[in-house]
Amino acid sequence: MRPFGATILDATGHRLSVEEKAFFRDVRPFGFILFARNIDSPDQLRALCEEMREAAGHEAVITIDQEGGRVQRMRAPHWRDWMPPMDLAARAGDQARRAFYLMYRIVAHELHSVGIDSNCAPLIDVAGPNTHRFLRNRCYGETPGQVAEIGRAVADALLAGGVLPVMKHMPGHGRATLDSHHDLPRVAARRIDLEAVDFAPFRSLRDLPMGMTAHLVYDALDDDAPATLSPEVVRLIREEIGFDNLVMTDDISMKALQMTPAESIRAALAAGCDVALFCNGPLEDRRAVAEAAGEMTPAAQTRALRAMDARQTPDDVDIDALSAQLETLLGGTLHG
C-alpha cells in the first residue's frame, strides 16, 4: 500500500473543484477537515464526503470541530445546536458524565449519518482561573479528575456512534492566557504542577486513537519551541504520558507558530508528529504544504491504520429517546 500523505486538508466550498480533486488524488492525504463554509444540507454534505474519499483514493478520515457552543460547524435547522461544554457540565452537576455521553452520542449520530467519521473532541484541557476566554467555556471542568471522567464519556459516546475521537490539546492548553490562533502563549508553570494537573487527563485517555497537539511553549519542558514543534514535548507525549497512537498537529496556519506553513509542517513532522493539519489556505498553499509534508513515515502509517481500524459500526440506539433523556436531565433545554 502506498503511504498516506502526512496531511489533513480542507476544501474551499460545498463541493470539490476539478483542481481540488486532481490535487487530492495526487497527494492522497490521510484525512480531511470540514468547516461551516463546506456545509449546506445533509445531502450536500454526504456528497462532499464521498467526493473527498474518492479523490483521496482510500477511506480517508473526515473530521470536524463539533464541540457545542461557539465551536460547532453543523447547526440548525438540519442539526442540533448545543450549549457550551462548560455550561453543560455546570447544568448537569453530578450527572455530567451521563449528560456528556448522551450529547456526544447524538452528535456522533448526526456526524456519521452524513459520512463524517471523526470529531475533534474530547477537549481535555483543565480550565484554570486565567484560561483565555477562547478556550474556557469549551473546557469540561477545573480538576483533572472531572475532566478525565467527562472526556472518557465523550470518547466512549463518539466511538459507540462510529466516530473517531481526537483528544486535544496535548499535553494541556488550560494555562494559556493568549489565543493561539493569534499569539504564542507561554506557560511558566513548574514541571511538577504540569504533571499533576495538565498532563493527567491525557495520561488517563492515552488509549484513544488520535490526539492533537497544542501550540504553546512550556518553559519547564522546552523554553524555545511550541509543543507542536518540540521534539522534547512530543517525546514526553509518547514516553511519559504514554500516548503511542496517532499524533496530529493543531492547524499549522495558526499565528502561534510564527513560521510559514511549509516550515511549520517540516518542523512538526521532524519533532515526531505523525500528520499535520492545515486549514483555510488557497490551493497553492495547500500544494506547498503537501509537498513539504510528503508521505507518512512507516511508524506514522502504522498508527494511522490503527486509528482507522478503531472505527466501529454504530451501536443500535434510539436517538429520540436519548434526546428525551438528556432534556429531562438538564431540565428541559439543550441550548443553555
Side-chain angles (χ1 to χ4, degrees):
M1 174 190 290
R2 176 188 165 194
F4 305 130
T7 50
I8 298 172
L9 302 172
D10 59 358
T12 301
H14 291 166
R15 300 296 292 266
L16 297 185
S17 68
V18 172
E19 292 79 11
E20 285 176 323
K21 289 180 180 179
F23 167 60
F24 295 143
R25 191 172 299 115
D26 183 49
V27 302
R28 201 167 182 255
F30 165 71
F32 298 93
I33 189 166
L34 299 168
F35 291 91
R37 67 173 181 272
N38 304 124
I39 297 168
D40 178 49
S41 69
D43 287 345
Q44 167 271 321
L45 190 49
R46 198 174 296 112
L48 176 60
C49 290
E50 290 173 359
E51 282 187 333
M52 286 176 159
R53 292 190 172 106
E54 182 179 2
H58 69 100
E59 285 299 305
V61 170
I62 299 178
T63 196
I64 196 168
D65 289 291
Q66 193 74 356
E67 297 176 10
R70 177 171 49 85
V71 181
Q72 59 182 86
R73 313 306 185 196
M74 296 162 58
R75 292 186 175 273
H78 298 296
W79 302 280
R80 292 165 176 82
D81 288 324
W82 300 98
M83 69 179 71
M86 183 70 84
D87 295 350
L88 177 63
R91 180 76 61 85
D94 60 7
Q95 293 294 308
R97 181 184 176 99
R98 180 59 179 167
F100 274 84
Y101 183 91
L102 291 169
M103 170 188 162
Y104 277 90
R105 182 60 187 85
I106 297 166
V107 167
H109 172 76
E110 294 187 336
L111 299 181
H112 193 271
S113 68
V114 293
I116 300 169
D117 60 1
S118 174
N119 191 9
C120 292
L123 186 150
I124 54 172
D125 304 315
V126 181
N130 299 312
T131 302
H132 192 278
R133 64 183 179 276
F134 100 93
L135 186 70
R136 183 172 174 80
N137 74 350
R138 300 163 59 193
C139 296
Y140 304 155
E142 297 183 338
T143 66
Q146 179 186 18
V147 169
E149 181 180 34
I150 293 175
R152 176 63 69 183
V154 170
D156 287 349
L158 291 172
L159 286 165
V163 173
L164 294 175
V166 181
M167 66 173 179
K168 59 188 184 186
H169 304 83
M170 299 188 297
H173 210 305
R175 296 180 191 266
T177 59
L178 298 174
D179 182 349
S180 53
H181 292 86
H182 306 292
D183 300 287
L184 176 61
R186 299 191 72 98
V187 170
R190 300 178 303 165
R191 171 72 174 261
I192 191 171
D193 297 323
L194 293 170
E195 290 277 358
V197 178
D198 303 72
F199 302 167
F202 293 95
R203 190 173 289 114
S204 295
L205 275 69
R206 63 190 176 190
D207 58 301
L208 295 188
M210 299 172 67
M212 178 186 289
T213 60
H215 293 340
L216 69 165
V217 171
Y218 303 88
D219 290 340
L221 305 178
D222 184 337
D223 63 4
D224 180 41
T228 299
L229 310 183
S230 170
E232 176 58 26
V233 177
V234 177
R235 185 202 64 78
L236 178 142
I237 290 168
R238 294 292 192 201
E239 297 179 9
E240 298 184 36
I241 289 176
F243 183 74
D244 190 35
N245 289 322
L246 190 80
V247 172
M248 61 182 279
T249 72
D250 205 343
D251 178 13
I252 60 168
S253 72
M254 289 163 62
K255 300 299 187 290
L257 296 188
Q258 302 174 344
M259 293 180 174
T260 68
E263 291 169 337
S264 292
I265 201 167
R266 291 189 190 100
L269 297 177
C273 296
D274 295 312
V275 62
L277 173 67
F278 178 63
C279 311
N280 303 312
L283 185 56
E284 55 266 30
D285 287 358
R286 282 177 277 169
R287 291 187 194 280
V289 161
E291 181 177 358
E295 294 180 335
M296 283 185 161
T297 66
Q301 181 79 4
T302 296
R303 295 187 187 106
L305 292 172
R306 192 161 65 225
M308 296 168 78
D309 285 345
R311 293 180 290 198
Q312 303 173 12
T313 301
D315 59 0
D316 187 14
V317 296
D318 183 335
I319 294 298
D320 289 339
L322 297 187
S323 297
Q325 287 182 43
L326 183 56
E327 289 190 22
T328 299
L329 191 155
L330 297 177
T333 179
L334 306 182
H335 310 295

